[in-house]
Short mmCIF file of all heavy atoms in Angstrom, two decimals:
data_model
loop_
_atom_site.label_atom_id
_atom_site.label_comp_id
_atom_site.label_asym_id
_atom_site.label_seq_id
_atom_site.Cartn_x
_atom_site.Cartn_y
_atom_site.Cartn_z
N ILE B 371 -24.90 -30.61 -1.61
CA ILE B 371 -25.61 -29.69 -2.52
C ILE B 371 -27.11 -29.88 -2.40
O ILE B 371 -27.86 -28.91 -2.25
CB ILE B 371 -25.14 -29.91 -3.98
CG1 ILE B 371 -23.68 -29.46 -4.11
CG2 ILE B 371 -26.03 -29.13 -4.95
CD1 ILE B 371 -23.09 -29.67 -5.48
N ALA B 372 -27.55 -31.14 -2.41
CA ALA B 372 -28.99 -31.40 -2.28
C ALA B 372 -29.51 -30.85 -0.96
O ALA B 372 -30.56 -30.20 -0.90
CB ALA B 372 -29.25 -32.90 -2.37
N ALA B 373 -28.74 -31.06 0.11
CA ALA B 373 -29.19 -30.64 1.43
C ALA B 373 -29.28 -29.13 1.52
O ALA B 373 -30.25 -28.58 2.05
CB ALA B 373 -28.23 -31.18 2.50
N VAL B 374 -28.27 -28.44 0.97
CA VAL B 374 -28.27 -27.00 1.14
C VAL B 374 -29.35 -26.34 0.30
O VAL B 374 -29.98 -25.36 0.70
CB VAL B 374 -26.86 -26.39 0.87
CG1 VAL B 374 -26.59 -26.22 -0.61
CG2 VAL B 374 -26.72 -25.06 1.60
N ILE B 375 -29.64 -26.93 -0.89
CA ILE B 375 -30.74 -26.38 -1.69
C ILE B 375 -32.06 -26.60 -0.95
O ILE B 375 -32.88 -25.70 -0.82
CB ILE B 375 -30.80 -27.03 -3.10
CG1 ILE B 375 -29.51 -26.71 -3.86
CG2 ILE B 375 -32.01 -26.52 -3.87
CD1 ILE B 375 -29.42 -27.39 -5.22
N THR B 376 -32.23 -27.80 -0.43
CA THR B 376 -33.44 -28.09 0.33
C THR B 376 -33.58 -27.12 1.51
O THR B 376 -34.66 -26.58 1.74
CB THR B 376 -33.40 -29.54 0.85
OG1 THR B 376 -33.21 -30.41 -0.25
CG2 THR B 376 -34.67 -29.88 1.58
N TYR B 377 -32.47 -26.90 2.19
CA TYR B 377 -32.51 -26.01 3.35
C TYR B 377 -32.98 -24.61 2.95
O TYR B 377 -33.88 -24.04 3.56
CB TYR B 377 -31.13 -25.94 4.00
CG TYR B 377 -31.04 -24.92 5.11
CD1 TYR B 377 -31.65 -25.16 6.35
CD2 TYR B 377 -30.37 -23.72 4.93
CE1 TYR B 377 -31.60 -24.23 7.36
CE2 TYR B 377 -30.30 -22.78 5.94
CZ TYR B 377 -30.92 -23.04 7.15
OH TYR B 377 -30.86 -22.11 8.15
N THR B 378 -32.38 -24.06 1.84
CA THR B 378 -32.76 -22.69 1.47
C THR B 378 -34.19 -22.62 0.98
O THR B 378 -34.85 -21.60 1.09
CB THR B 378 -31.83 -22.14 0.36
OG1 THR B 378 -31.85 -23.04 -0.75
CG2 THR B 378 -30.41 -21.98 0.86
N ARG B 379 -34.70 -23.73 0.43
CA ARG B 379 -36.09 -23.72 -0.05
C ARG B 379 -37.10 -23.90 1.08
O ARG B 379 -38.29 -23.75 0.87
CB ARG B 379 -36.28 -24.80 -1.12
CG ARG B 379 -35.42 -24.54 -2.36
CD ARG B 379 -35.58 -25.64 -3.38
NE ARG B 379 -36.86 -25.57 -4.08
CZ ARG B 379 -37.09 -24.74 -5.09
NH1 ARG B 379 -36.17 -23.92 -5.52
NH2 ARG B 379 -38.27 -24.75 -5.67
N GLN B 380 -36.59 -24.27 2.26
CA GLN B 380 -37.49 -24.52 3.39
C GLN B 380 -37.38 -23.46 4.47
O GLN B 380 -38.36 -23.18 5.17
CB GLN B 380 -37.16 -25.89 4.02
CG GLN B 380 -37.44 -27.07 3.10
CD GLN B 380 -38.91 -27.42 3.05
OE1 GLN B 380 -39.62 -27.34 4.04
NE2 GLN B 380 -39.40 -27.81 1.87
N ALA B 381 -36.18 -22.87 4.61
CA ALA B 381 -35.94 -21.95 5.72
C ALA B 381 -36.57 -20.59 5.48
O ALA B 381 -37.02 -20.29 4.37
CB ALA B 381 -34.44 -21.81 5.94
N TRP B 382 -36.57 -19.76 6.46
CA TRP B 382 -37.01 -18.35 6.43
C TRP B 382 -38.42 -18.18 5.86
O TRP B 382 -38.72 -17.19 5.21
CB TRP B 382 -36.03 -17.49 5.60
CG TRP B 382 -34.58 -17.80 5.85
CD1 TRP B 382 -33.92 -17.71 7.03
CD2 TRP B 382 -33.63 -18.27 4.89
NE1 TRP B 382 -32.61 -18.10 6.87
CE2 TRP B 382 -32.40 -18.43 5.57
CE3 TRP B 382 -33.69 -18.55 3.53
CZ2 TRP B 382 -31.24 -18.88 4.92
CZ3 TRP B 382 -32.54 -18.99 2.88
CH2 TRP B 382 -31.33 -19.16 3.58
N GLY B 383 -39.25 -19.16 6.02
CA GLY B 383 -40.61 -19.06 5.51
C GLY B 383 -40.73 -19.34 4.03
O GLY B 383 -41.80 -19.21 3.44
N ASN B 384 -39.62 -19.71 3.37
CA ASN B 384 -39.68 -20.01 1.94
C ASN B 384 -40.60 -21.19 1.63
O ASN B 384 -41.19 -21.26 0.55
CB ASN B 384 -38.27 -20.33 1.40
CG ASN B 384 -37.49 -19.05 1.10
OD1 ASN B 384 -38.01 -17.95 1.26
ND2 ASN B 384 -36.26 -19.22 0.68
N ASP B 385 -40.72 -22.13 2.59
CA ASP B 385 -41.55 -23.31 2.34
C ASP B 385 -43.02 -22.93 2.16
O ASP B 385 -43.71 -23.49 1.32
CB ASP B 385 -41.39 -24.34 3.46
CG ASP B 385 -41.57 -23.73 4.84
OD1 ASP B 385 -41.51 -22.47 4.93
OD2 ASP B 385 -41.77 -24.49 5.80
#
Side-chain angles (χ1 to χ4, degrees):
Chain B
I371 292 178
V374 80
I375 297 175
T376 305
Y377 173 73
T378 55
R379 296 178 74 80
Q380 295 281 323
W382 317 301
N384 278 358
D385 51 343

